[in-house]
């Protein structure tokens, strides 16, 4: 890991191994109070994370949260949580591109994508707008592009061959890097991608609490109602789905925790890196990463005995059978689909069948493009529940 400037050099590594987590645990249980030249106190401890209070002065302090195999979060003066998203992205970029990105992005919560083309320019997508930085017009050299690939693959492209075959790699933090280049085919299937010259870094966003308003409508007598989230691409349906999963798997004042199984076909929901979820998906949640939805549903039904199965972007011909099997097995569903109205999704043959049979008892339409805001809630008959 390359060093980066900043007042907290010991917070540079955003994802760390269980051995380090155990070491921090021993540090906490021993009651140590000073480290890194600062005053520390243990504010909270559990098997999943530690919360330390780091006091800089009488007026300045930070809450530092160490998650097992996940992020380090910092809350300044008890305020809003500032995660390490910026560092997670910058650590895979060469110096020049890192500087360009830092100068262009003012709010990292609004950054959606970074397009990098070897021999081409850099394009940032910020809140849906494509922006070419003033310095981004300079050609990305072969050396810079190779440096990015080395950082992404941790200097071992061979170790990520299976992921590259799918057209993307997942990096710490759950961010997905799409790749394109020369596809090598074998028996009609893509075996791998060589001469990668196009990258699209898709920034993973996590908004805890964005599902707060809809959660009371998704339970009936402590039963999670089969729920479908509908929105156009890029409107935040996966972000909303992730927070519903987190809350359902953790429990709340109005409902008990459910055993949730996530089939994360494209590593977008839990954002697993080397099998470890990089996003908070709740206490009682199991994730099957990189598996097709149909096979994944059958596998989780047989092995994990879930109460809720969550999948992203349904609509394929085989989805109906798998979803119906889950329902007849006594398991509830949580899914998403592209669309902007009932008429739009009914135009898809499989979705028309799913709607006619009322497989979903709650249908959420995202209207504002901001997860948690402007959500219209309908029942399975198409009647308004809440707007």
């Amino acid at each position: 890991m390359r060093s980066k400037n900043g007042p907290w050099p010991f917070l540079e590594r955003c994802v760390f191994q269980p051995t380090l987590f155990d070491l921090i645990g021993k540090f906490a249980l021993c009651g140590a109070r000073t480290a890194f030249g600062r005053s520390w106190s243990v504010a909270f401890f559990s098997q999943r994370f530690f919360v330390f209070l780091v006091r800089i002065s009488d007026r300045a302090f930070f809450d530092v949260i160490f998650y097992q195999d996940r992020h380090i979060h910092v809350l300044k003066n008890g305020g809003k949580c500032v995660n390490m998203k910026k560092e997670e992205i910058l650590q895979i970029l060469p110096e020049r591109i890192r500087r360009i990105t830092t100068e262009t992005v003012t709010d990292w919560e609004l950054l959606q994508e970074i397009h990098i083309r070897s021999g081409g320019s850099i394009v940032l997508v910020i809140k849906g707008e494509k922006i070419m930085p003033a310095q981004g017009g300079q050609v990305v050299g072969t050396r810079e592009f190779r440096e990015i690939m080395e950082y992404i693959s941790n200097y071992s492209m061979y170790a990520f061959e299976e992921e590259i075959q799918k057209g993307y790699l997942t990096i710490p933090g759950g961010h997905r890097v799409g790749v394109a280049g020369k596809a090598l085919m074998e028996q009609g299937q893509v075996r791998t991608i060589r001469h990668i010259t196009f990258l699209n870094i898709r920034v993973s966003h996590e908004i805890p609490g964005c599902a707060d308003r809809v959660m009371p409508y998704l339970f009936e007598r402590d039963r999670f109602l089969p729920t479908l989230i509908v929105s156009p691409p890029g409107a935040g349906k996966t972000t909303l789905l992730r927070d519903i999963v987190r809350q359902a798997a953790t429990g709340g004042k109005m409902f008990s925790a459910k055993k949730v199984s996530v089939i994360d076909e494209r590593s977008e929901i839990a954002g697993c890196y080397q099998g470890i979820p990089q996003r908070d998906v709740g206490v009682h949640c199991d994730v099957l990463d990189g598996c097709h939805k149909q096979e994944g549903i059958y596998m989780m039904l047989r092995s994990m005995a879930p109460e809720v199965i969550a999948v992203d972007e349904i609509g394929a011909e085989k989805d109906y059978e798998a979803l119906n099997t889950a329902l007849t097995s006594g398991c509830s569903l949580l899914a998403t689909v592209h669309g902007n109205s009932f008429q739009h999704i009914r135009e898809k043959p499989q979705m028309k069948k799913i709607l006619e049979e009322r497989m979903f008892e709650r249908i959420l339409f995202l209207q504002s493009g901001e997860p948690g805001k402007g959500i219209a809630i309908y029942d399975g008959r198409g009647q308004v529940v809440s707007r």
Side-chain angles (χ1 to χ4, degrees):
M1 182 75 67
R2 294 167 293 151
S3 64
K4 299 178 287 294
N5 296 328
W8 299 101
F10 57 92
L11 292 181
E12 287 179 358
R13 185 175 290 276
C14 304
V15 177
F16 43 88
Q17 299 303 313
T19 50
L20 179 55
F21 186 80
D22 293 340
L23 181 61
I24 295 171
K26 293 175 182 178
F27 169 82
L29 296 177
C30 289
R33 288 295 180 268
T34 59
F36 308 107
R38 306 296 183 187
S39 175
W40 290 63
S41 61
V42 182
F44 186 78
F45 165 71
S46 79
Q47 291 183 340
R48 293 195 66 192
F49 58 87
F50 302 99
V51 181
F52 290 98
L53 178 65
V54 186
R55 185 165 296 281
I56 310 304
S57 66
D58 291 339
R59 294 187 179 181
F61 64 87
F62 290 81
D63 290 322
V64 183
I65 308 174
F66 291 87
Y67 280 91
Q68 183 174 15
D69 275 348
R70 296 183 61 247
H71 298 91
I72 296 172
H73 291 266
V74 181
L75 285 76
K76 185 176 181 180
N77 290 352
K80 182 180 178 181
C81 180
V82 181
N83 65 31
M84 307 301 285
K85 184 178 299 180
K86 177 179 177 180
E87 282 73 14
E88 291 165 351
I89 300 300
L90 293 181
Q91 68 184 7
I92 66 170
L93 301 177
E95 181 63 34
R96 184 180 71 89
I97 299 177
R98 198 187 326 158
R99 185 179 64 254
I100 292 171
T101 305
T102 303
E103 292 173 353
T104 306
V105 180
T106 56
D107 187 345
W108 285 80
E109 291 303 317
L110 301 180
L111 177 64
Q112 296 172 301
E113 299 177 3
I114 303 176
H115 290 259
I116 302 174
R117 299 170 176 89
S118 181
S121 57
I122 303 165
V123 178
L124 307 179
V125 179
I126 301 176
K127 205 175 181 179
E129 182 182 355
K130 299 179 184 67
I131 298 174
M132 182 179 292
Q135 302 177 59
Q138 300 177 22
V139 171
V140 178
T142 304
R143 182 176 178 180
E144 284 182 313
F145 201 89
R146 184 170 61 248
E147 188 177 349
I148 297 172
M149 294 305 301
E150 289 174 347
Y151 292 148
I152 290 173
S153 64
N154 202 17
Y155 297 91
S156 178
M157 289 294 293
Y158 178 78
F160 289 86
E161 192 101 334
E162 189 173 337
E163 282 193 79
I164 292 174
Q165 183 183 23
K166 299 175 183 177
Y168 64 86
L169 298 92
T170 303
I171 64 174
H175 313 289
R176 196 170 69 170
V177 182
V179 299
K182 173 65 176 178
L184 298 184
M185 308 297 291
E186 188 175 278
Q187 297 181 350
Q189 302 290 325
V190 176
R191 184 169 65 84
T192 188
I193 299 176
R194 298 287 190 221
H195 308 302
I196 296 173
T197 49
F198 306 92
L199 294 177
N200 180 22
I201 303 170
R202 297 186 60 182
V203 182
S204 176
H205 292 281
E206 188 174 28
I207 308 178
C210 68
D212 287 353
R213 192 183 79 80
V214 304
M215 293 306 292
Y217 299 99
L218 307 186
F219 285 85
E220 186 176 88
R221 297 179 182 178
D222 203 38
R223 181 178 74 92
F224 184 85
L225 302 175
T227 299
L228 178 67
I229 303 171
V230 184
S231 84
K237 60 183 177 298
T238 302
T239 302
L240 180 63
L241 178 141
R242 184 188 300 117
D243 198 51
I244 293 175
V245 167
R246 179 186 66 84
Q247 295 199 41
T250 303
K253 294 181 180 179
M254 302 177 63
F255 52 89
S256 62
K258 307 302 175 188
K259 292 189 295 181
V260 181
S261 288
V262 173
I263 291 86
D264 202 356
E265 187 170 1
R266 293 181 304 279
S267 303
E268 286 189 311
I269 303 173
C272 286
Y273 176 73
Q274 296 183 353
I276 304 296
Q278 303 292 290
R279 297 302 175 205
D280 188 357
V281 287
V283 178
H284 302 284
C285 181
D286 305 301
V287 180
L288 184 59
D289 183 57
C291 181
H292 292 301
K293 288 187 287 290
Q294 301 82 20
E295 293 90 336
I297 289 174
Y298 295 129
M299 289 173 64
M300 295 304 255
L301 284 173
R302 290 193 298 265
S303 60
M304 306 309 294
E307 296 173 274
V308 180
I309 284 181
V311 295
D312 203 8
E313 297 183 10
I314 63 172
E317 185 176 348
K318 294 182 179 179
D319 290 345
Y320 169 81
E321 296 179 5
L323 295 173
N324 190 55
T325 299
L327 287 175
T328 55
S329 300
C331 182
S332 190
L333 298 171
L334 174 61
T336 69
V337 67
H338 289 311
N340 49 37
S341 66
F342 274 109
Q343 181 179 355
H344 186 199
I345 57 178
R346 282 196 184 103
E347 292 174 356
K348 304 175 182 180
Q350 293 304 315
M351 289 307 305
K352 181 179 180 181
K353 189 175 183 181
I354 287 172
L355 292 176
E356 287 177 347
E357 297 189 12
R358 298 179 186 173
M359 293 176 66
F360 292 97
E361 298 179 42
R362 289 291 183 267
I363 302 175
L364 315 181
F365 283 90
L366 273 62
Q367 300 170 325
S368 70
E370 297 182 51
K373 298 181 181 179
I375 301 175
I377 306 175
Y378 296 83
D379 64 14
R381 298 171 297 175
Q383 302 298 311
V384 176
V385 175
S386 174
R387 282 186 180 271

